[in-house]
Amino acid sequence: MTTTTPSPPDGPHARALLHALHGEQLTLYPTADDPTIDVDQHTPPCGLFLIAWDQHGNPVGCGAVRRLAHSIAEIRKMYVIPAWRGSGLGRRLLDELESFARDELSATTIRLETGIHNNSALRLYDAAGYHPIDSYVDGRASFNAAREKPLDVSEDQH
């Protein structure tokens, strides 16, 4: 059983998860984004950073969403520690971030980019209804896959 809580992306648990993500990215790609993220863009009202905790209070995953443009939000920094992969935690984090984007950011579209070698993430996003789009970040098309999906603003509000 896990719980999720909004957390500051510069807190110690967030930093540990983001550094673990960064380390994994460097094993797959020649470069990776800085593991720090802008606090203002990833905390309400502009965005959200979530940490997932196991039943013992250990951080086991994270994810973020931010406003990218007027009605477009972006999923960022999705990470689940290896021991928790395959548990459905990634999908749960994604669902919560999408709900925040729709309900709090009034986003009608949500985008993300993930590495082309991150097959588990690509399967998750494809299963969640994301479809391929052209890269929207300069210089990343050779190693990142971009995805997008519409957010149904008529869905039941949580």
Side-chain angles (χ1 to χ4, degrees):
M1 171 139 189
T2 60
T3 58
T4 59
T5 58
S7 303
D10 59 347
H13 296 295
R15 284 195 314 270
L17 290 164
L18 293 171
H19 280 281
L21 169 62
H22 185 256
E24 283 191 28
Q25 289 171 329
L26 289 175
T27 68
L28 297 171
Y29 309 102
T31 186
D33 288 341
D34 184 332
T36 61
I37 60 175
D38 184 282
V39 173
D40 291 338
Q41 289 184 19
H42 297 91
T43 52
C46 301
L48 180 68
F49 187 88
L50 288 177
I51 293 181
W53 309 88
D54 71 10
Q55 65 273 22
H56 305 292
N58 300 308
V60 295
C62 66
V65 64
R66 69 175 176 177
R67 184 182 317 279
L68 190 61
H70 173 66
S71 61
I72 301 172
E74 180 185 37
I75 297 290
R76 303 193 65 234
K77 305 296 186 182
M78 289 281 295
Y79 179 71
V80 174
I81 66 169
W84 278 81
R85 293 183 187 158
S87 69
L89 180 56
R91 181 60 184 255
R92 181 172 165 206
L93 284 165
L94 183 62
D95 289 346
E96 289 186 37
L97 294 169
E98 288 177 358
S99 292
F100 182 89
R102 182 186 60 246
D103 301 343
E104 303 300 324
L105 301 179
S106 300
T108 57
T109 303
I110 196 155
R111 291 183 179 165
L112 58 87
E113 284 200 341
T114 192
I116 60 173
H117 301 303
N118 195 341
N119 295 321
S120 297
L122 290 167
R123 282 193 301 275
L124 168 68
Y125 300 136
D126 291 347
Y130 288 78
H131 60 274
I133 60 171
D134 291 336
S135 179
Y136 58 92
V137 180
D138 290 338
R140 295 190 182 196
S142 65
F143 57 90
N144 268 0
R147 298 284 193 270
E148 178 179 277
K149 90 175 203 181
L151 291 175
D152 184 355
V153 294
S154 66
E155 287 183 27
D156 291 337
Q157 306 287 315
H158 297 280

